[in-house]
Amino acid sequence: MATPIEARREPSQDEVVGLHVHNPADGSLVGIVPLLGRAAARDAVDAAAAAFPGWRATPANSRAQVLVAWSQLLIEHADELATLMTREQGKPVAQARAEILQSADYLQWYAEQAKRIAGELLAADRPDRVVRVLREPVGVVAAITPWNFPTAMIARKAGAAIAAGCTVVLKPAESTPLSAIAMAKLGEEAGLPEGVLTIVTGDPVEIGAELTSNPTVRKLTFTGSTAVGRLLARQCADTLKRVTLELGGNNPFIVFQDADLDAASEGLMAAKFRNAGQVCVSANRVLVHEDVQEAFLDRVRQRVRGLSVGPGLEPGTDVGPLIDDRSAMRLEALVREAVSAGARLEVGGHRHPAGDAYFEPTLISGLDASMTLCGEELFGPVAAVSSFRTEEEAVSQANSTPYGLVAYAYTDDRRRANRLGRDLEAGMVAINDSGIAGSAYPFGGVKESGYGREGSVHGLDDYLEMKLVCDGDAY
Ligand code: ADP
């Protein structure tokens, strides 16, 4: 029981009941958001269901106008949104700002696509018959998003759903709810009617249980780990919801003997160290032809040593903290195990003195498939290199994983490049290129990296149902 003195004391911010959001750079409190559970999720679904008829009936042009206004508000507020994102997520502020602009671009893209939703008029098999195919919004959509791209994942999911005429209940990750709330507020300012987008922060298991079992929810879209994706897909099975899953990867980055090694090493830096490697499309296994391994390692070593580590808000930071200290501890253990099994530490490999959640940009070579580090999604600033002898071997190693999100390859041989585009088992293949994301490109994986695509002209398909309407007495 509280003593009288304690009872009179104002509770500190830390003691307020809620979800506490901490800055991974220094552990300080960034904010507190509601710690909601199942009942709140159900209320949000009810609100989304109530808003659905009105939003679905809103002409596509008008829906597009709201999305454009939302996109513009993101651009106007890019600096403050980026600062907020860096404070709760840790990434360098320039990268956070780029993410805000990318999010604005997604909203703009979906606004344009909303106006292109079209049905079909089919050739009928009887002279008095008119046969149409309508494209209708699926209904209430549940979205569960991760912390690594706190804003872009919302833009990519909610933007598409809202463009299609759906209404959305969105659960952001526990570590980055503030960016989600800020984004939703701007959506409201842009003209989203009440219930079209509701953010529910709090307990993932409880909220997830409601969103996946409530029959009113017709679709779930999820980005996160394969383990959670699998669980959610299972939970959605009883009510047969449509499901889109963007899950983990174990992405190969292949450097052939004929590659431009400067371009390849520069590409690896982007594909590996952006967002401290906490990206589902990060290069996870770097496979280098044995003839060029030393020359490639020389280049990468130099570049990795040149990365500056520090708080994301400090100008010039290349690599910020990881999302939490557990992630840094996990990486330390994985690297230690690989080194004790014979891998060679080229650069880094340890916790960084800047703080508990920091890990040194690391280059490690001599890996073999038996090491845990090769089978896991690293989600950190660790480039793990092994060598190969033939193209066949490289492709076979690249494909020898249950995942299939993205595969990178550097080669100057045009025919080889075409073969790789055909043979690599991935939803996305980047040849002599370190990036694959863009609002006009279909983003998504195969195998245990998930199903469904986001962005591109296909990005709205997952939010639309086809309805066949036969009119048998039309003329
Ligand atoms: P990560 O390991 O990168 O945090 P997760 O898959 O655990 O990836 O998290 C991605 C999203 O999934 C987050 O919003 C998280 O809260 C949510 N999540 C985690 N577990 C569950 C669950 N059992 N039910 C619903 N959502 C969950």
Side-chain angles (χ1 to χ4, degrees):
M1 240 180 75
T3 64
I5 290 171
E6 278 167 339
R8 279 202 309 273
R9 184 171 62 85
E10 284 289 319
S12 74
Q13 214 186 359
D14 260 327
E15 290 161 334
V16 176
V17 177
L19 196 59
H20 293 230
V21 182
H22 294 282
N23 185 339
D26 56 13
S28 62
L29 187 69
V30 184
I32 300 176
V33 301
L35 180 60
L36 302 171
R38 196 151 187 162
R42 195 176 307 130
D43 289 348
V45 170
D46 290 345
F52 178 58
W55 189 243
R56 157 202 174 118
T58 303
N61 268 359
S62 308
R63 295 202 301 267
Q65 274 167 9
V66 176
L67 286 167
V68 169
W70 194 9
S71 166
Q72 278 165 357
L73 283 172
L74 286 186
I75 295 169
E76 273 167 38
H77 293 271
D79 287 333
E80 55 196 276
L81 291 169
T83 303
L84 176 65
M85 189 192 298
T86 295
R87 289 178 67 219
E88 69 174 347
Q89 199 271 347
K91 69 178 64 177
V93 71
Q95 295 180 24
R97 197 169 191 284
E99 181 181 339
I100 299 297
L101 298 183
Q102 188 192 23
S103 306
D105 192 51
Y106 272 115
L107 296 182
Q108 175 75 33
W109 171 267
Y110 287 131
E112 289 156 3
Q113 290 307 110
K115 293 184 276 186
R116 295 184 174 84
I117 297 169
E120 297 161 41
L121 186 62
L122 301 183
D125 53 349
R126 277 193 344 233
D128 57 344
R129 200 177 212 186
V130 168
V131 184
R132 288 173 289 154
V133 178
L134 307 184
R135 303 276 277 156
E136 298 183 330
V138 296
V140 173
V141 170
I144 298 180
T145 53
W147 49 261
N148 59 343
F149 288 95
T151 303
M153 294 305 102
I154 297 177
R156 213 155 75 171
K157 294 179 186 304
I162 288 169
C166 299
T167 54
V168 181
V169 177
L170 188 140
K171 192 206 82 59
E174 301 88 284
S175 28
T176 56
L178 296 167
S179 294
I181 292 169
M183 169 126 184
K185 278 194 179 137
L186 292 179
E188 207 179 309
E189 207 177 300
L192 287 180
E194 197 185 328
V196 171
L197 173 63
T198 307
I199 305 288
V200 185
T201 56
D203 184 318
V205 176
E206 278 209 25
I207 297 169
E210 181 62 29
L211 296 181
T212 51
S213 64
N214 190 320
T216 303
V217 174
R218 290 315 315 145
K219 179 186 167 62
L220 173 82
T221 172
F222 170 76
T223 296
S225 61
T226 294
V228 174
R230 202 175 271 128
L231 172 81
L232 296 175
R234 231 179 258 137
Q235 289 178 187
C236 283
D238 280 344
T239 45
L240 291 175
K241 296 186 201 319
R242 290 171 65 148
V243 179
T244 294
L245 300 173
E246 302 283 1
L247 307 177
N250 188 351
N251 311 309
F253 186 103
I254 316 172
V255 182
F256 286 92
Q257 62 275 34
D258 48 37
D260 173 339
L261 297 184
D262 289 324
S265 57
E266 194 182 330
L268 178 62
M269 299 308 288
K272 181 71 252 184
F273 294 99
R274 186 167 65 103
N275 201 5
Q278 303 168 113
V279 186
C280 56
V281 292
S282 273
N284 213 49
R285 295 170 294 150
V286 186
L287 312 174
V288 186
H289 191 276
E290 59 182 11
D291 289 354
V292 293
Q293 186 177 221
E294 278 316 310
F296 181 70
L297 282 174
D298 280 347
R299 286 167 170 79
V300 178
R301 225 181 269 124
Q302 221 175 351
R303 288 180 189 269
V304 175
R305 285 203 187 106
L307 291 172
S308 101
V309 179
L313 286 177
E314 221 157 76
T317 290
D318 298 309
V319 178
L322 299 177
I323 192 67
D324 52 30
D325 50 353
R326 271 185 315 143
S327 304
M329 273 152 54
R330 175 180 160 269
L331 279 185
E332 187 180 35
L334 283 170
V335 170
R336 196 188 302 125
E337 187 206 296
V339 170
S340 67
R344 199 167 70 231
L345 203 50
E346 306 274 354
V347 186
H350 307 97
R351 312 281 292 275
H352 190 279
D356 290 344
Y358 289 86
F359 198 78
E360 292 174 337
T362 295
L363 176 64
I364 181 169
S365 66
L367 292 166
D368 78 61
S370 66
M371 297 170 185
T372 318
L373 192 141
C374 294
E376 297 224 351
E377 188 174 24
L378 293 171
F379 242 59
V382 176
V385 178
S386 57
S387 65
F388 68 86
R389 276 180 299 277
T390 63
E391 180 182 321
E392 219 179 5
E393 194 189 322
V395 170
S396 149
Q397 276 185 37
N399 291 343
S400 66
T401 151
Y403 300 100
L405 191 56
V406 59
Y408 301 91
Y410 277 75
T411 176
D412 271 358
D413 179 331
R414 186 177 57 82
R415 288 212 169 88
R416 191 203 304 282
N418 285 331
R419 284 194 298 275
L420 294 169
R422 181 191 63 195
D423 295 339
L424 289 167
E425 294 170 2
M428 300 170 284
V429 175
I431 310 269
N432 298 329
D433 207 338
S434 60
I436 32 82
S439 55
Y441 313 148
F443 186 103
V446 298
K447 295 159 79 179
E448 292 181 28
S449 291
Y451 35 75
R453 292 294 179 271
E454 293 184 329
S456 83
V457 294
H458 309 288
L460 257 57
D461 291 348
D462 281 355
Y463 300 92
L464 294 167
E465 286 287 6
M466 246 183 253
K467 185 192 274 174
L468 175 69
V469 179
C470 287
D471 184 344
D473 184 25
Y475 297 105

